Amino acid sequence: MKELSKAYNPQEFEADIYRLWEEQDLFNPDTTHPDGEPYSILMPPPNVTGVLHLGHALENALMDIMTRYQRLQGKRTLLLPGTDHAAVATQAKVERLLVEKGIKNPREEFGRQKLLQEIRTYAEESKSTILSQIRKMGTSCDWSRLAYTFDAERSEAVNEVFYRMYHDGLIYKGYRVVNWSVKGQSTCSDDELVHIEREAKLYTFKYSDDLPFAISTTRPETKLGDTAIAVNPNDERYKKYIGENFIVDVGAIKPLKLKVIADENIDPEFGTGAVGVTPAHSPIDFEMYEKQKADGNPIDLISVIGPDGQMTAEAGPDYHGLDVLAARQKFITWLKDNDLFISEEEISQNVGTSDRFGDVVEALPMTQWFVDVNAVIPNRGKSLKLLMKEAVTTGLDGDKKKVVRVTPKRFEKLYFNWIDNLRDWCISRQIWWGHRIPVWYCRDCQESVVSDAKQCTIILQRHGEADSNANDYLNSDVSKVNNRLTEKGRKQVLAAVKKMPQINAIYSSDMERAKETAEIFAEKLKLEIEYDDRLREVGVGDFEGSPDVGDGFNQTRAKFSAWHHDNPHGIESFDELKTRVFASLTDIAFEHPGETVLVVTHGDIARTAQGLHENISDEDIFHLSYPDTGESFEIKITPVTCECGSHDVYQDEYTLDTWFSSGLWPFSTLGWPNNSHDLKDFFPTSWMQMGYEIIFFWMARMILMSSYTLNEIPFKDVYIHGMLRDEKGQKFSKSAGNGIDPVEIAEKYGTDALRLSLISGVTPGNDSRFYLEKVESNRNFINKLWNISRYIFMSSKAKYSDSVPSHSAADDWILSRLNRVIDAVNQLFADYNFSQAAELLREFTRDDFADWYLEIAKVEKKKDDILIYILNNLLRLWHPFIPFVTEAIWRSMGEKSSVMVSSWPKVKSAIVDQEFEAAFAVIPEAITKIRNVRAEYRIDPGKKIPLRINSNAKETMLADNLEIVKALARLDSIEFVSAKPDRSASVVIGPIELYIPLAEVIDIDQEKERLSKELEDIKKYVNSVKKKLDNKSFVDNAPKSVVAGEQVKYEEAEQKMILLHKQLEELK
RNA sequence: GGGCAAUUAGCUCAGUUGGUUAGAGCGCAUCAUUGACGUUGAUGAGGUCAGAAGUUCGACUCUUCUAUUGCCCACCA
């Protein structure tokens, strides 16, 4: 047995222990419990937008506690780690950082490839930080199964699901009013809106004098696009006009034709009871537009606001180019000038803002991709909406086994409410960081193709610096110059090799400088090189060997039209260049679907490939920047063949909502769409935890995707946790400046203390507070456990054995307690009540074990085996909560394998004896009462005093365990007496009377007061119980056991009362 | 506008099908401490369970209403 160091210093062992677990592959269920019953938890993937915060730390603690608990039960437990590319969140973040660095418009200045490269670099960095932080939290996840929502496997799943939904008619492209963030230049879904309340003005006016209506609006500028007036069909004032058309001229490009339409939802009481209908800029009005169209009574749709947030030409020459606020003022002025303005009124209104970009969104009509939540799924007879509902109510198709249990249950209501109000989900985004929509358009026949082909990731690597770069001359003819890499160039390549991800194949231009570069890669990556002359640098014609100055090569090309189709000065035409690059890369993609390929090539070729990939104009391609020598960027090409046979397709440039890929997480991480073992074994997953703020975003989407794709629920149980708040109850946020770095806390107090603090006080679904005092007290507690162990190791030489003989009442007591605690902890785990489980363990460890049993053990001696036994059990019970310290102590105990793969203690019910425990309680009670008297009379704690016991207690538990009382209450003599000695303090415990003869210190008055006070208390109690028992209806109606219990209480209390009374009498 | 949650000791919170003399931790007070642990121990003070009504033999617990706080949802233009 190793001695534990004197102080508990988590910094000394936590990192080593985690490394050891990893080295022994203990997080991998296939290593530890290959034959156990599968149990799986998926980590909600943190966004790669920054660093781990306290909320993540809480989630890690919760998941890991559950994982370690299940693993100790012998289950084949998988906790699968991963991260989320978080499309818009990440791009918004990186753009913000770039703007801070002085780049005003990153998208314009960088272009797609370069910005994506920036984002990717940021994301990868953030990812590796987060992963190391997860390790720091002690999370026992299986790193061999690490996933990323944006990696090749997950992309494959995304495309496959899109493909299926499209062919099932659940995904459609439609012209609809969507939420548009002008600042982010992208759509967002309804769920991504954050509603804020703000003051606004409600204006009332007429379109023209001829019109019998006045209308009210908060957005006068949109009225330039009005095409109807809606009234309630039962509104007597306006009924007669329904169906009529009015022509008004409010200054738009042409006069507006306004049809009066009826709509039930119009409130006749609000405003004037007539509503100007702007189908293009209001989702509700758009619905009216759709309805009118469906009814064969179409109205127009005029878009007067553009994606740039400015008025369009449709709005008329007076307004065109103005931003909305300026247009509003101008329109109001016009109304006033023409005596059409009636009134304005301050109202408060709710507006939707973009959760990532923060601006108020505009409603704009656009062509976007949607998931239809109401359409009937072929062969299923029900809609996605219905599937989502079934999964939480009856189970899918009524199968009770396919039902998600939500803890706490009240969140189900929230979920249903959301489903009921759900509209079609807009899944296309105009940002670049994300999964491209897997739709291709054919350049030959103009048709679109939705393909489930696996995309090939191509890393375009420019060769390292060559002689031509260093000495500035052009070289594209392999036969003319032997242009090799410089020393610097080779170094660049070696550096690039280190950064290279897993590669399946290498292709290279056959020019010397590329060849040389490729060879370095090939050697290091142990791959063969395929040479392709179509990857050669652009042909420079007559400029071969000369520096590119004056009227040289690039000047010639700058006159774009001159070499577009032709070959001025013998240079390669752009058409020829594009054709060979496209053909080469397409061939590669078809050769390596689903793989990552390194293509070593030249600057101009890389840029041309990039341009082709982005589907931008030839001239724009020419103006793209090169990658630097030795640098690379990646593009993804999916080998798609159009129905017409052409490979000449380009992909839709929109990307998918990030929640589309997150929704697939429960199965995409387990190998779907491939028929993997993991999918069979671990899906549906067993348990999932998440914060209530992502129930709509994530839980709902996972249920949608799983029930659609696999006709299964994604998880059997979902545990909803609350948010962490600071000590004042405020949210943690950067802007509030109250952020706490979990890693810093872990470093200072130890991860174990952090974990315990995070979950303490946490109940399902409720917010909890986090503050340093909590961490400190938990650290102190762990230190206590450390010292308990240290003491036991110092005093005991025993080895753990699964069964230990009991030598005394105290032994029986502690063993019974232990088993009862194990039982209770199991129950608390079953209810996901982690905080209480830890609380219970803490109580047992500190109060029962350390404060009582260890002290008793010092008196009774020879308890080595029991001490070790209990400690061993305790370490296993504590391990899910505080994995590091339990492992450290476990190893010191001489155990060879890890505590994390030992076994969860079994309840030995034969040992549990609650009655005996209750009987034993007299001993601590007696000791406490005596200590109490000592404290009251200020007796020096070191001084030993005598004790007399009324002899009627001779045959009790107390009489059998006097040695314990003697030592712990610091007594020098104990005798049984038949009468109370003179001048002594007395206490009553049930039927037992204890006397403490203290002639020299005793104060009769003080003693009288003390006893009187106690007598008063007990009298009150006796009376209340008596009243109850005298109440006939109580005796008649209450269950017998309750009445009997009250009777016992009464008798005991009464006896105590009599004894106290007697003692008080004796004092007089 | 609709909904959800919370309200228990100075602070943070338990209290799981109605029966407890309503608990814990921190803080506070008093005392102790060469001892496994001062990152400690012993002892104590402190609450009409937000308010009102109701159901019941019995309410912190169930019902209704009220108040305060927080959160979520929502197409009064």
Side-chain angles (χ1 to χ4, degrees):
Chain A
M1 224 165 278
K2 267 189 294 178
E3 198 182 322
L4 291 170
S5 64
K6 184 146 169 55
Y8 162 61
N9 285 323
Q11 299 80 0
E12 283 170 11
F13 55 79
E14 289 190 350
D16 288 343
I17 285 179
Y18 197 88
R19 201 174 310 123
L20 213 71
W21 286 332
E22 273 199 274
E23 278 167 13
Q24 298 179 356
D25 204 21
L26 297 182
F27 302 151
N28 187 337
D30 305 327
T31 306
T32 55
H33 302 92
D35 303 317
E37 175 195 340
Y39 188 96
S40 51
I41 299 177
L42 297 178
M43 181 181 293
N47 289 352
V48 291
T49 48
V51 294
L52 211 69
H53 55 65
L54 269 183
H56 292 125
L58 168 65
E59 298 208 319
N60 272 274
L62 289 170
M63 290 183 286
D64 196 48
I65 287 168
M66 197 59 173
T67 301
R68 288 177 187 269
Y69 173 71
Q70 299 292 347
R71 189 186 288 120
L72 279 167
Q73 307 272 359
K75 292 189 189 157
R76 187 177 164 213
T77 310
L78 169 66
L79 174 54
L80 193 148
T83 49
D84 194 324
H85 71 294
V88 63
T90 311
Q91 176 158 347
K93 174 93 186 242
V94 173
E95 283 178 354
R96 201 157 57 237
L97 293 175
L98 289 171
V99 169
E100 275 165 24
K101 275 196 222 156
I103 293 147
K104 275 198 186 122
N105 189 333
R107 289 187 212 176
E108 246 172 48
E109 288 176 46
F110 280 25
R112 190 169 192 137
Q113 282 311 328
K114 192 164 174 206
L115 184 56
L116 277 178
Q117 191 54 54
E118 287 280 327
I119 300 170
R120 188 173 300 114
T121 305
Y122 176 86
E124 287 302 319
E125 226 168 82
S126 164
K127 198 203 286 178
S128 79
T129 305
I130 285 172
L131 296 180
S132 79
Q133 288 172 320
I134 291 171
R135 287 181 159 87
K136 180 82 191 172
M137 295 299 118
T139 310
S140 60
C141 48
D142 181 5
W143 294 106
S144 71
R145 288 175 163 92
L146 179 67
Y148 179 42
T149 54
F150 209 16
D151 60 22
E153 291 93 328
R154 263 46 65 179
S155 299
E156 191 188 335
V158 164
N159 288 2
E160 181 65 29
V161 169
F162 188 101
Y163 179 82
R164 292 192 189 184
M165 286 186 139
Y166 178 85
H167 287 287
D168 274 347
L170 302 177
I171 285 180
Y172 66 93
K173 192 177 193 179
Y175 185 68
R176 301 258 310 266
V177 168
V178 293
N179 306 306
W180 180 261
S181 162
V182 172
K183 199 167 156 200
Q185 284 294 298
S186 177
T187 55
C188 41
S189 66
D190 295 342
D191 299 305
E192 285 165 295
L193 297 184
V194 177
H195 289 274
I196 57 167
E197 189 156 315
R198 68 170 186 189
E199 293 291 305
K201 284 196 172 123
L202 181 69
Y203 304 95
T204 303
F205 63 89
K206 281 185 158 189
Y207 294 97
S208 104
D209 273 336
D210 318 333
L211 218 60
F213 305 97
I215 59 139
S216 298
T217 183
T218 52
R219 301 277 321 258
E221 72 282 6
T222 63
K223 301 292 105 180
L224 293 160
D226 275 12
T227 58
I229 297 166
V231 300
N232 191 294
N234 302 315
D235 193 327
E236 293 301 333
R237 294 168 293 177
Y238 306 128
K239 223 170 168 176
K240 54 184 178 257
Y241 301 114
I242 292 170
E244 266 188 61
N245 285 304
F246 294 91
I247 307 288
V248 297
D249 189 351
V250 292
I253 195 158
K254 53 185 179 193
L256 301 174
K257 190 178 105 181
L258 303 175
K259 174 178 277 194
V260 182
I261 60 173
D263 193 289
E264 294 282 350
N265 294 319
I266 305 299
D267 177 4
E269 304 298 315
F270 187 85
T272 62
V275 179
V277 180
T278 325
H281 301 295
S282 153
I284 321 137
D285 295 3
F286 184 77
E287 269 173 32
M288 293 188 207
Y289 163 84
E290 295 267 84
K291 192 163 163 283
Q292 290 297 125
K293 197 159 80 179
D295 292 350
N297 251 325
I299 56 176
D300 293 334
L301 182 143
I302 305 170
S303 182
V304 293
I305 302 171
D308 54 0
Q310 295 178 352
M311 305 306 285
T312 62
E314 296 275 312
D318 290 350
Y319 298 98
H320 186 190
L322 292 181
D323 69 49
V324 291
L325 287 179
R328 185 175 307 169
Q329 281 318 311
K330 194 159 190 175
F331 188 71
I332 290 165
T333 307
W334 178 85
L335 287 170
K336 285 181 175 164
D337 290 347
N338 288 278
D339 277 341
L340 296 168
F341 190 86
I342 296 171
S343 65
E344 65 178 61
E345 177 191 353
E346 288 283 346
I347 59 161
S348 79
Q349 70 166 359
N350 264 313
V351 289
T353 62
S354 154
D355 64 347
R356 293 299 171 189
F357 295 104
D359 57 334
V360 175
V361 297
E362 279 293 347
L364 295 182
M366 293 187 141
T367 301
Q368 298 290 341
W369 291 91
F370 297 88
V371 169
D372 190 332
V373 291
N374 292 306
V376 172
I377 307 163
N379 306 320
R380 300 277 281 275
K382 54 188 81 163
S383 65
L384 291 172
K385 244 188 195 180
L386 197 59
L387 282 179
M388 289 166 89
K389 221 173 210 175
E390 278 186 359
V392 185
T393 50
T394 59
L396 294 170
D397 298 326
D399 184 347
K400 286 258 181 296
K401 271 181 272 160
K402 297 183 177 180
V403 64
V404 177
R405 199 181 80 165
V406 183
T407 308
K409 211 166 161 46
R410 65 183 144 93
F411 286 105
E412 287 181 4
K413 248 196 237 171
L414 204 71
Y415 172 78
F416 295 138
N417 180 47
W418 177 83
I419 292 180
D420 290 339
N421 293 312
L422 187 60
R423 293 191 282 184
D424 283 0
W425 170 22
C426 175
I427 51 170
S428 46
R429 297 289 179 276
Q430 286 61 51
I431 54 162
W432 292 333
W433 179 246
H435 296 278
R436 289 276 285 270
I437 295 202
V439 174
W440 287 262
Y441 305 98
C442 179
R443 287 198 183 88
D444 293 328
C445 73
Q446 319 305 323
E447 288 297 314
S448 64
V449 196
V450 176
S451 168
D452 63 347
K454 293 181 191 178
Q455 70 184 6
C456 171
T457 301
I458 292 179
I459 298 176
L460 290 159
Q461 171 74 46
R462 189 177 172 198
H463 58 78
E465 186 194 72
D467 188 47
S468 57
N469 306 111
N471 296 311
D472 193 23
Y473 59 87
L474 296 163
N475 166 223
S476 70
D477 187 336
V478 276
S479 65
K480 287 202 175 142
V481 188
N482 191 13
N483 178 19
R484 301 183 59 89
L485 294 187
T486 61
E487 192 51 40
K488 182 179 162 199
R490 268 187 291 275
K491 276 191 188 144
Q492 286 173 334
V493 178
L494 284 168
V497 174
K498 283 193 188 138
K499 289 194 293 183
M500 204 47 56
Q502 190 69 39
I503 299 294
N504 302 93
I506 300 181
Y507 283 76
S508 176
S509 144
D510 61 349
M511 297 184 73
E512 203 55 45
R513 54 190 184 274
K515 229 174 173 172
E516 238 182 306
T517 301
E519 275 160 9
I520 297 173
F521 275 101
E523 196 201 325
K524 297 278 177 190
L525 303 174
K526 306 218 165 16
L527 290 164
E528 296 287 313
I529 305 167
E530 299 263 357
Y531 291 103
D532 185 341
D533 58 12
R534 293 174 298 181
L535 294 168
R536 284 181 190 174
E537 186 55 297
V538 60
V540 297
D542 300 346
F543 299 103
E544 182 71 31
S546 54
D548 189 22
V549 289
D551 286 336
F553 177 63
N554 269 312
Q555 271 304 109
T556 308
R557 295 171 100 206
K559 295 170 200 146
F560 191 78
S561 55
W563 64 292
H564 197 182
H565 308 290
D566 306 329
N567 308 80
H569 300 278
I571 66 174
E572 185 178 11
S573 80
F574 195 63
D575 286 346
E576 289 164 346
L577 177 66
K578 274 200 314 185
T579 307
R580 69 170 162 98
V581 170
F582 179 81
S584 164
L585 295 181
T586 305
D587 287 353
I588 291 171
F590 272 92
E591 198 68 36
H592 300 278
E595 296 187 339
T596 302
V597 180
L598 178 68
V599 172
V600 181
T601 182
H602 308 265
D604 221 300
I605 308 306
R607 146 175 109 178
T608 306
Q610 172 189 341
L612 287 168
H613 176 64
E614 288 184 34
N615 192 38
I616 57 179
S617 75
D618 294 353
E619 187 151 7
D620 284 347
I621 294 176
F622 181 60
H623 288 110
L624 287 174
S625 57
Y626 280 11
D628 287 335
T629 49
E631 294 295 321
S632 66
F633 58 72
E634 68 174 58
I635 60 174
K636 292 178 197 278
I637 298 182
T638 311
V640 171
T641 311
C642 177
E643 277 189 32
C644 73
S646 169
H647 290 170
D648 192 2
V649 297
Y650 60 95
Q651 190 167 3
D652 196 300
E653 40 182 323
Y654 293 169
T655 51
L656 281 168
D657 181 5
T658 192
W659 296 103
F660 195 95
S661 55
S662 323
L664 313 181
W665 193 246
F667 48 96
S668 69
T669 50
L670 294 174
W672 189 89
N674 302 308
N675 221 349
S676 70
H677 283 291
D678 275 0
L679 192 67
K680 213 167 65 209
D681 295 344
F682 294 117
F683 186 85
T685 63
S686 313
W687 190 76
M688 169 67 89
Q689 59 78 39
M690 72 179 73
Y692 54 71
E693 69 279 3
I694 55 173
I695 290 178
F696 307 139
F697 280 127
W698 200 40
M699 182 179 112
R701 259 93 181 190
M702 285 191 282
I703 292 176
L704 182 154
M705 292 299 191
S706 295
S707 47
Y708 167 72
T709 311
L710 292 155
N711 196 22
E712 254 301 355
I713 49 169
F715 29 75
K716 293 170 195 141
D717 265 301
V718 56
Y719 168 97
I720 309 287
H721 64 78
M723 252 185 339
L724 287 174
R725 297 169 174 276
D726 71 4
E727 71 277 0
K728 292 184 200 117
Q730 285 167 322
K731 282 187 195 179
F732 285 110
S733 73
K734 245 180 227 150
S735 50
N738 60 354
I740 295 180
D741 176 7
V743 172
E744 227 170 78
I745 302 282
E747 261 153 24
K748 186 159 174 213
Y749 297 94
T751 297
D752 289 331
L754 171 66
R755 289 167 58 122
L756 216 43
S757 311
L758 285 165
I759 60 129
S760 79
V762 167
T763 47
N766 296 323
D767 292 353
S768 59
R769 301 190 190 200
F770 183 89
Y771 38 86
L772 286 184
E773 287 82 352
K774 242 186 192 176
V775 190
E776 263 171 44
S777 82
N778 281 309
R779 193 262 326 264
N780 296 353
F781 171 75
I782 295 167
N783 176 64
K784 180 94 188 168
L785 181 63
W786 182 266
N787 276 297
I788 290 169
S789 316
R790 208 160 83 86
Y791 170 72
I792 293 175
F793 292 166
M794 280 164 62
S795 63
S796 164
K797 298 276 171 289
K799 277 226 150 51
Y800 171 76
S801 155
D802 189 40
S803 63
V804 280
S806 158
H807 306 290
S808 71
D811 296 351
D812 286 339
W813 169 75
I814 196 73
L815 291 170
S816 174
R817 281 288 297 139
L818 173 69
N819 278 281
R820 217 144 57 78
V821 164
I822 298 170
D823 194 30
V825 167
N826 283 338
Q827 189 50 49
L828 289 166
F829 262 102
D831 295 339
Y832 311 135
N833 217 328
F834 307 109
S835 175
Q836 279 207 65
E839 196 53 47
L840 190 64
L841 284 174
R842 187 206 310 268
E843 250 168 51
F844 175 77
T845 307
R846 199 189 38 212
D847 301 346
D848 295 340
F849 190 49
D851 291 348
W852 288 112
Y853 189 75
L854 277 188
E855 294 307 319
I856 291 171
K858 286 176 190 170
V859 179
E860 292 191 344
K861 306 260 168 48
K862 291 191 179 150
K863 296 197 179 295
D864 294 11
D865 45 1
I866 297 195
L867 290 177
I868 286 288
Y869 175 81
I870 294 186
L871 180 62
N872 180 295
N873 274 274
L874 220 39
L875 291 175
R876 287 183 281 151
L877 291 167
W878 268 118
H879 182 256
F881 301 94
I882 44 176
F884 290 111
V885 72
T886 46
E887 181 78 88
I889 299 171
W890 184 263
R891 284 176 192 271
S892 301
M893 210 157 56
E895 293 285 346
K896 289 206 176 55
S897 66
S898 165
V899 62
M900 69 177 276
V901 289
S902 60
S903 65
W904 186 254
K906 292 220 164 39
V907 181
K908 295 178 175 168
S909 30
I911 292 181
V912 176
D913 186 344
Q914 280 203 62
E915 266 175 48
F916 181 81
E917 280 181 45
F920 186 81
V922 72
I923 292 161
E925 195 182 346
I927 294 166
T928 303
K929 285 257 162 102
I930 298 166
R931 283 172 177 169
N932 191 332
V933 169
R934 296 182 66 121
E936 190 123 352
Y937 287 104
R938 300 186 185 282
I939 295 166
D940 181 347
K943 187 179 155 61
K944 297 198 168 174
I945 56 170
L947 176 74
R948 300 292 174 261
I949 305 174
N950 193 315
S951 51
N952 59 11
K954 240 178 179 163
E955 296 302 315
T956 63
M957 177 74 82
L958 187 68
D960 295 341
N961 291 282
L962 287 177
E963 279 309 301
I964 299 172
V965 182
K966 194 173 172 186
L968 301 191
R970 299 212 140 241
L971 305 173
D972 53 7
S973 70
I974 301 178
E975 282 169 31
F976 286 90
V977 293
S978 51
K980 179 181 178 183
D982 270 352
R983 296 187 73 79
S984 56
S986 54
V987 293
V988 173
I989 303 154
I992 305 167
E993 291 172 84
L994 301 182
Y995 311 118
I996 302 155
L998 293 167
E1000 66 279 22
V1001 289
I1002 203 90
D1003 179 316
I1004 297 289
D1005 288 336
Q1006 191 183 343
E1007 186 65 7
K1008 266 188 195 164
E1009 199 188 316
R1010 193 174 65 84
L1011 289 174
S1012 307
K1013 190 168 171 287
E1014 209 176 338
L1015 184 60
E1016 276 311 303
D1017 289 348
I1018 197 78
K1019 260 187 188 162
K1020 264 190 232 158
Y1021 179 59
V1022 167
N1023 282 339
S1024 79
V1025 181
K1026 187 163 190 312
K1027 213 170 127 195
K1028 229 185 224 179
L1029 287 168
D1030 286 348
N1031 183 343
K1032 192 167 175 311
S1033 34
F1034 170 71
V1035 179
D1036 290 348
N1037 292 312
K1040 283 219 172 65
S1041 61
V1042 173
V1043 178
E1046 291 296 313
Q1047 188 65 41
V1048 171
K1049 278 189 212 161
Y1050 176 70
E1051 279 159 18
E1052 281 174 357
E1054 196 189 29
Q1055 187 177 18
K1056 186 175 174 185
M1057 184 177 77
I1058 291 165
L1059 289 175
L1060 280 168
H1061 191 74
K1062 188 190 89 185
Q1063 292 182 355
L1064 199 55
E1065 285 298 304
E1066 283 169 0
L1067 279 176
K1068 283 174 183 163

